[in-house]
Amino acid sequence: MATVLLESKTSSLKFELYHRENLQWLSNLHFIHDEIKYFETWMEHLRDLNLSKQLQNEWIALEEQILQERIETQALLKAIEHEEYLFGLETQQKDFQLGEEHYLKHRNLRVRFRALEKDFHASKHSFYEFMTDIMN
């Protein structure tokens, strides 16, 4: 009986940890999504400028990079929202326990989030560096 209670408490704590982390990731991803919209708006305005060949090539590469960031951000948002949806369904079951499968899925989301966050920060720096070059 004590083992069952301990497993239940541990599962509850794991669920709380995963849920809180998901909420934090969702918040960060929504912010990243808004930043990407901002970058895309600027890139659209720059489309018609008479840029040098070098800046045109940089613009094309940056636009592709930003597009990829948007696609990856949207995919990760959907994956985390889906995990939260499944958690909602599963926690309604009386004997719900977080197991190895939940751990592996959540760890995969964590790896994806960290990679996206790192890539986004690199893209953000590239965007501002490019904009500085354009403004000079």
Side-chain angles (χ1 to χ4, degrees):
M1 178 73 169
T3 303
V4 172
L5 290 175
L6 180 60
E7 287 175 10
S8 178
K9 182 67 172 173
T10 301
S11 183
S12 178
L13 290 172
K14 285 181 191 176
F15 169 77
E16 181 66 24
L17 173 68
Y18 294 174
H19 174 65
R20 293 286 181 180
E21 193 168 31
N22 282 344
L23 294 179
Q24 183 63 48
W25 292 339
L26 289 171
S27 175
N28 290 353
L29 289 171
H30 285 293
F31 175 78
I32 288 170
H33 187 262
D34 286 346
E35 289 276 281
I36 289 170
K37 283 185 201 177
Y38 172 76
F39 299 155
E40 288 173 333
T41 299
W42 268 103
M43 296 301 287
E44 188 63 34
H45 290 303
L46 298 174
R47 181 182 308 276
D48 298 328
L49 289 181
N50 189 18
L51 300 175
S52 70
K53 187 67 172 166
Q54 178 186 348
L55 287 175
Q56 285 176 356
N57 290 338
E58 288 179 35
W59 182 89
I60 290 168
L62 186 57
E63 185 179 52
E64 290 173 4
Q65 189 177 357
I66 291 170
L67 174 62
Q68 188 61 37
E69 294 292 330
R70 182 167 45 85
I71 291 168
E72 291 174 16
T73 299
Q74 290 171 334
L76 189 53
L77 273 166
K78 285 184 179 192
I80 294 169
E81 288 168 349
H82 183 68
E83 181 178 65
E84 283 294 300
Y85 171 76
L86 292 178
F87 278 165
L89 293 177
E90 291 173 347
T91 55
Q92 293 175 10
Q93 299 173 9
K94 185 178 181 180
D95 58 347
F96 171 71
Q97 296 286 318
L98 280 174
E100 184 72 15
E101 181 181 338
H102 293 98
Y103 166 75
L104 293 174
K105 284 182 182 179
H106 192 75
R107 187 178 70 180
N108 180 43
L109 290 175
R110 184 180 295 122
V111 168
R112 287 176 61 191
F113 176 78
R114 286 180 180 164
L116 185 141
E117 191 175 42
K118 180 181 175 188
D119 292 345
F120 174 72
H121 286 295
S123 295
K124 188 174 185 174
H125 290 294
S126 296
F127 172 80
Y128 285 116
E129 185 176 318
F130 176 75
M131 290 302 296
T132 301
D133 291 345
I134 293 282
M135 299 297 176
N136 286 329

